[in-house]
Amino acid sequence: MRLILFFILLTFSVYAQSRFTVSGYIRESGSQEQLIGVNVYLPNTTTGTTSNTYGFYSITLPAADSVTLAFSFVGYGTEIRTVKLRSNLQLNVQLAAIGRELNEVVVSGRREADKVSQMAQMSQIDIPVQQIKKIPAFLGEKDVLRVLQLMPGVQKGSEGQTGIYVRGGGPDQNLVILDDAPVYNVSHLFGFFSVFNGDALKSVELTKGGFPARFGGRLSSVVELNMKEGNKEKLHGEGGGGLIASRLTLEGPIKKKGVAVAKSSFLISGRRTYLDLLARPLIAAQTDDNTMGGYYFYDLNAKFNYDFGQKNKIYASGYFGKDRFFFREKNASSGSEGGLNWGNATGTLRWNHLFSEKLFSNASLIFSNYKFQIYAKESERFNNTENEFELRYTSGVRDWGLKYDVDYFPNPQHALRFGVVTTLHRFTPSAVVVKNSDINQFKTEVEALNNVESGIYAEDTWKPNRWLKMNAGLRLSHFSAENQNYFRPEPRISTALMLRPDLSFKASYARMNQYIHLLSNTGIGLPTDLWVPSTAKIAPQQSSQVAAGFAKDFEKQGLALTFEGYYKTMNNIVNYKEGSSFLLIDDPSSAEKVRWDENITSGRGWSYGAEVLLQKKTGKLSGWIGYTLSWTQWKFAELNFGQTFYPRYDRRHDLSVVGIYEFSPRITLSGTWVYGTGNALTLPQSNYLAYPHNLNPQVQYGQNANAPSIVYRSFGGGWSVSDYGPKNSFRAEPYHRFDLSLQFHKKKRHHERTWELSVYNLYNRRNPFFYNLTSRQVFDANGKYVKTETVLQRISIFPIVPTLSYNFKF
């Protein structure tokens, strides 16, 4: 830290003479929304900077009687300002949004002046929210994570699901942060939708390699999402409805009458599915009046900010969402109910303070809570006596965090960031309540673990000359686990060497540590995810990743091409042992006796591959083509007999083609086509009949308590035994589909409306969701039984799905 401070003071003393600083905030005209990543530069030079997460910029230049600065941001008109620079200058700028005549730059290129080839950071994708809204929707819901799945290096999960697997990592290895708060479970509807409502978002950025030092705690990627702040000039709203859900967003100023621009504003956004309402008459038609059940999810985003002036601002934002699956059945003598609940809650309180025209700080108080619950209740009345049995199992993780970041802009060649963060985790791997009135039993057992995770970092974006750009930094992370403390240094560097003005060679190295782990239940396909900390027995996960590649801009054609190769190693990754689970579903009364740390094993993995991304940024036709060639392998001493195997979501080839065509300001056509190698699965290679000596082959399946319910099944008077080969040695069929969307926009007097017709899986590809082994009898032409054979049955869940949705804004 002393070395960093010395470097700052030395830099300041060298450049203090005859140099002055222009600084301020950049906002959107008409809403006063602060703009992230706006380019501020001297035209026809490489001297420039960008606005930070809060719209603040600072650039130090030699004194001059006339200095011309350009402010550019794709989707907005470029603002040119000429100033006299004889002292430090405060210059706030507003950029006016351009209508549909200007197409947004696709994917990683919102910046106009800073071309893809000239960016020091590599393996980073910046997605405009307006771009997300033009891509075909699934069941009428625009989904951020579903768009990320279309990027090279990002693998999708099962059919229709929003899980992302970045460069060989699992879903727990992605740091997903919403206004600085980590979100632990990002899925609604068992993984088919994400929890992020695009109407409430201002920016989405994915980093999959060459991580800046300010990020830590995960191995594979960082997904940074920022909510809108709220319109400070007028009330604004947007919303819509699709096949399964509706949403509404309101934002506006909080001001006194007669004041032109408010000091504070608000945003509130809600979404709810009506699946339970649609399913209720169907359930009633199939059952009697005593049975009911359903599923629904909802989420709520809210944000408030207050501007105390140029030097101080506060922001308060939060998210709350919940999924609920339930059933109830009741008659005169008995009743039962049960279900699953899971949800997230986050909250962030931030204070921006401007110490000087070069020194900007942000302090954050962060809260995050994820909870999952299974519950079951049964009651029975016999001889005027009512007996009740109840089971509740809860797990989750709760965080309280403090974070302090500083941005320092000593001169155009350096942009320094440093800070500190500490988080108090409270993990609840198991909280069990069992009630049984029949035997007068009541048990409550709660396992709670408290851990502290901290980090201190410093990074510098350095441009020593016009040919070299570099982001270098160091992060020191710490985690307290029981009686052990882990201290881990994490060096980071990303460089861009300009071979030509439109061609650069890039390289990066990053070391990451992850102190928390996600255990996915091996028994049931529900969101029964268990977050647990590192302990004295379970070491932190660690990854090292190197990447290199080229970036080329084709200005005349409006194209950008990036090519990257990477190699990543992962140590101490965790998984359940064979046949283990966090909960014994067959014997819930003993659930509290299952120790999660006794049922997991540690191993290592490695992933390597190449990614190509070709983007068209301008014109009526925009879009991208992304291709990934990759290999991922794992090795655990206690899995697959210690042999290397491919994890489920290893895909050799992954291809995405996205096109958006603006026929006119009123009509937009978009389409996506995806192809991917099939998942790696474990399936029986053969079945054979057996008569174990401790089993009576005449008894029916399920009547013998000693019969293993997974390995053996009744079959032709004997027992069929499944022989499983090496783990994940079976490859599913390739996955591919084509989605199409047609949007009709119309501006009314007081609002704008959009009708969208989207078709998911247009050519009705029956992609596998899972496979099932089933037996069928074979007969000859005369109807005589010949044999019984085992058949591999493919189960698909989404055929062609057309959806009509309506969206509006005012």
Side-chain angles (χ1 to χ4, degrees):
M1 200 65 185
R2 291 181 179 178
L3 181 61
I4 295 172
L5 293 174
F6 173 76
F7 178 71
I8 294 172
L9 293 174
L10 179 62
T11 304
F12 179 78
S13 64
V14 170
Y15 287 94
Q17 301 299 321
S18 68
R19 286 177 169 263
F20 299 102
T21 299
V22 183
S23 63
Y25 291 89
I26 306 173
R27 299 181 174 91
E28 179 186 51
S29 177
S31 71
Q32 299 302 305
E33 189 85 28
Q34 294 174 344
L35 297 176
I36 303 171
V38 176
N39 288 280
V40 184
Y41 59 97
L42 298 179
N44 303 316
T45 72
T46 59
T47 300
T49 187
T50 58
S51 59
N52 68 7
T53 306
Y54 304 95
F56 177 78
Y57 77 96
S58 175
I59 184 169
T60 301
L61 301 168
D65 291 330
S66 179
V67 174
T68 300
L69 286 174
F71 300 81
S72 71
F73 192 54
V74 174
Y76 294 79
T78 299
E79 189 78 12
I80 304 295
R81 297 290 182 92
T82 301
V83 297
K84 182 178 181 180
L85 195 58
R86 288 298 179 183
S87 62
N88 292 334
L89 179 65
Q90 183 183 108
L91 182 63
N92 296 326
V93 176
Q94 294 187 24
L95 300 185
I98 299 177
R100 299 183 186 276
E101 296 79 22
L102 179 64
N103 292 292
E104 289 88 348
V105 171
V106 178
V107 191
S108 66
R110 286 197 312 184
R111 302 167 178 84
E112 179 178 293
D114 204 359
K115 305 170 188 176
V116 173
S117 59
Q118 295 180 353
M119 297 172 61
Q121 185 64 48
M122 69 181 302
S123 306
Q124 190 173 79
I125 297 172
D126 191 5
I127 308 174
V129 174
Q130 290 303 317
Q131 191 76 39
I132 295 172
K133 294 182 178 181
K134 293 179 181 179
I135 293 174
F138 176 60
L139 298 178
E141 288 297 306
K142 303 293 185 179
D143 202 296
V144 171
L145 297 187
R146 204 173 293 280
V147 175
L148 293 182
Q149 291 178 346
L150 300 173
M151 304 300 162
V154 182
Q155 311 291 346
K156 62 188 67 65
S158 300
E159 164 76 6
Q161 296 196 330
T162 56
I164 59 174
Y165 300 78
V166 180
R167 290 185 173 177
D172 64 315
Q173 295 178 1
N174 305 310
L175 176 62
V176 182
I177 49 178
L178 178 64
D179 279 0
D180 279 346
V183 182
Y184 283 93
N185 186 292
V186 297
S187 298
H188 282 314
L189 191 57
F190 307 103
F192 291 111
F193 297 101
S194 78
V195 300
F196 304 111
N197 184 352
D199 291 346
L201 296 178
K202 177 169 66 174
S203 65
V204 180
E205 190 171 76
L206 167 70
T207 305
K208 53 187 178 177
F211 303 96
R214 60 184 178 274
F215 296 120
R218 301 293 190 276
L219 299 189
S220 293
S221 76
V222 178
V223 182
E224 186 177 13
L225 304 105
N226 289 287
M227 291 169 54
K228 295 177 182 177
E229 296 157 12
N231 195 307
K232 285 190 176 180
E233 294 191 359
K234 61 181 180 179
L235 181 67
H236 173 74
E238 60 181 309
L243 188 62
I244 66 165
S246 293
R247 63 194 185 280
L248 177 64
T249 300
L250 294 174
E251 56 178 315
I254 303 174
K255 62 180 180 180
K256 296 180 179 179
K257 189 175 181 179
V259 178
V261 179
K263 288 181 175 289
S264 63
S265 62
F266 75 93
L267 176 138
I268 184 167
S269 180
R271 178 176 57 163
R272 191 194 192 279
T273 183
Y274 26 75
L275 277 176
D276 55 331
L277 303 179
L278 295 175
R280 189 170 296 172
L282 299 177
I283 296 174
Q286 299 295 324
T287 61
D288 54 40
D289 294 337
N290 296 322
T291 302
M292 69 172 297
Y295 165 85
Y296 64 86
F297 72 77
Y298 63 88
D299 46 43
L300 178 69
N301 296 76
K303 193 166 185 176
F304 168 82
N305 71 87
Y306 189 87
D307 190 343
F308 290 92
Q310 185 74 7
K311 290 187 177 294
N312 293 285
K313 297 175 177 62
I314 61 168
Y315 302 86
S317 60
Y319 165 82
F320 180 79
K322 187 175 183 179
D323 288 66
R324 187 185 181 206
F325 173 76
F326 64 96
F327 71 89
R328 297 190 191 99
E329 184 177 4
K330 190 174 183 179
N331 54 46
S333 60
S334 64
S336 64
E337 63 178 283
L340 303 172
N341 297 323
W342 67 96
N344 300 274
T346 70
T348 308
L349 179 63
R350 293 185 283 187
W351 169 42
N352 291 172
H353 180 67
L354 189 63
F355 287 97
S356 70
E357 63 278 352
K358 296 183 180 182
L359 195 62
F360 177 93
S361 71
N362 177 73
S364 300
L365 173 63
I366 303 165
F367 171 79
S368 179
N369 188 33
Y370 167 66
K371 184 180 290 187
F372 167 78
Q373 183 185 72
I374 301 174
Y375 71 96
K377 185 177 181 180
E378 295 182 359
S379 62
E380 184 177 12
R381 180 177 292 275
F382 183 74
N383 292 334
N384 295 324
T385 302
E386 185 170 350
N387 298 321
E388 290 186 351
F389 172 82
E390 182 177 352
L391 165 70
R392 292 184 181 272
Y393 176 90
T394 305
S395 69
V397 54
R398 187 193 67 195
D399 290 353
W400 284 100
L402 287 172
K403 187 168 177 277
Y404 192 73
D405 303 288
V406 176
D407 291 7
Y408 180 57
F409 307 92
N411 56 70
Q413 285 71 45
H414 291 275
L416 294 164
R417 299 186 69 164
F418 47 93
V420 61
V421 59
T422 185
T423 302
L424 173 62
H425 299 288
R426 182 178 177 85
F427 297 91
T428 310
S430 176
V432 179
V433 176
V434 178
K435 299 179 182 178
N436 192 333
S437 61
D438 187 32
I439 59 175
N440 197 26
Q441 179 192 42
F442 178 84
K443 287 186 178 181
T444 301
E445 290 201 13
V446 178
E447 179 186 8
L449 303 171
N450 294 304
N451 303 86
V452 177
E453 181 178 0
S454 304
I456 184 171
Y457 74 90
E459 65 178 81
D460 182 16
T461 301
W462 181 34
K463 296 183 255 184
N465 53 56
R466 60 182 301 182
W467 305 110
L468 181 64
K469 295 183 180 181
M470 180 183 304
N471 179 282
L474 177 66
R475 183 184 184 91
L476 179 64
S477 60
H478 162 257
F479 190 82
S480 65
E482 296 176 339
N483 296 323
Q484 184 165 350
N485 289 289
Y486 293 100
F487 291 92
R488 299 284 178 87
E490 302 176 10
R492 320 278 178 79
I493 186 169
S494 182
T495 63
L497 177 63
M498 302 301 301
L499 305 178
R500 290 169 45 184
D502 59 356
L503 176 66
S504 65
F505 171 77
K506 297 186 179 184
S508 67
Y509 171 79
R511 177 173 291 178
M512 305 286 281
N513 289 281
Q514 181 168 331
Y515 298 100
I516 63 177
H517 317 280
L518 180 68
L519 301 178
S520 294
N521 184 273
T522 58
I524 54 178
L526 298 172
T528 52
D529 297 334
L530 185 66
W531 286 96
V532 296
S534 296
T535 65
K537 295 169 57 177
I538 304 171
Q541 302 178 58
Q542 186 176 76
S543 72
S544 294
Q545 181 179 171
V546 294
F550 293 89
K552 167 71 175 174
D553 288 286
F554 301 90
E555 294 185 67
K556 292 183 179 180
Q557 296 81 9
L559 295 172
L561 176 67
T562 58
F563 171 80
E564 293 185 12
Y566 69 92
Y567 184 88
K568 179 168 70 172
T569 60
M570 297 169 283
N571 295 318
N572 300 318
I573 57 178
V574 298
N575 207 334
Y576 276 115
K577 297 177 182 178
E578 295 286 5
S580 298
S581 169
F582 80 100
L583 181 63
L584 293 179
I585 300 297
D586 293 335
D587 186 13
S589 63
S590 64
E592 72 276 14
K593 299 176 184 178
V594 179
R595 287 284 305 177
W596 58 270
D597 54 354
E598 296 174 357
N599 283 338
I600 64 176
T601 181
S602 298
R604 58 192 180 93
W606 50 94
S607 181
Y608 52 93
E611 302 165 4
V612 181
L613 179 63
L614 177 65
Q615 309 164 241
K616 188 176 188 305
K617 302 179 179 181
T618 58
K620 285 193 171 183
L621 176 64
S622 61
W624 68 88
I625 300 174
Y627 171 71
T628 305
L629 173 67
S630 63
W631 289 262
T632 301
Q633 294 176 301
W634 287 354
K635 188 173 184 179
F636 291 80
E638 297 181 79
L639 296 179
N640 200 40
F641 301 100
Q643 300 299 311
T644 300
F645 64 94
Y646 295 108
R648 177 182 178 89
Y649 297 109
D650 165 74
R651 282 194 172 97
R652 199 68 59 247
H653 305 281
D654 191 84
L655 175 65
S656 299
V657 181
V658 179
I660 301 171
Y661 188 77
E662 304 272 359
F663 284 98
S664 70
R666 297 186 61 181
I667 301 176
T668 302
L669 176 68
S670 63
T672 62
W673 184 77
V674 296
Y675 174 90
T677 302
N679 293 337
L681 306 174
T682 302
L683 293 178
Q685 294 185 339
S686 63
N687 290 332
Y688 61 89
L689 292 179
Y691 298 91
H693 70 277
N694 62 331
L695 295 176
N696 180 358
Q698 300 303 316
V699 300
Q700 295 299 312
Y701 174 73
Q703 294 180 359
N704 190 329
N706 296 320
S709 59
I710 297 177
V711 178
Y712 301 103
R713 59 188 175 88
S714 175
F715 185 81
W719 293 88
S720 176
V721 181
S722 297
D723 179 22
Y724 292 85
K727 190 175 181 64
N728 292 348
S729 58
F730 174 82
R731 278 287 174 180
E733 299 160 275
Y735 178 96
H736 57 87
R737 75 170 199 275
F738 178 63
D739 304 335
L740 190 67
S741 171
L742 187 60
Q743 295 181 348
F744 299 94
H745 315 279
K746 188 172 183 178
K747 289 188 176 181
K748 301 282 189 175
R749 183 177 180 181
H750 298 294
H751 72 282
E752 178 182 349
R753 65 105 173 114
T754 300
W755 283 101
E756 179 176 359
L757 176 63
S758 60
V759 183
Y760 180 87
N761 195 9
L762 182 65
Y763 54 79
N764 200 30
R765 162 70 175 177
R766 296 289 181 160
N767 288 299
F769 187 68
F770 66 89
Y771 289 91
N772 182 39
L773 284 178
T774 184
S775 298
R776 71 178 181 185
Q777 293 180 334
V778 180
F779 299 88
D780 61 16
N782 298 321
K784 184 179 179 181
Y785 170 80
V786 177
K787 62 178 179 178
T788 300
E789 63 182 10
T790 301
V791 178
L792 182 63
Q793 183 181 27
R794 176 187 61 198
I795 308 298
S796 301
I797 60 172
F798 289 115
I800 179 173
V801 183
T803 304
L804 181 65
S805 59
Y806 175 79
N807 302 288
F808 63 89
K809 61 172 65 176
F810 60 86

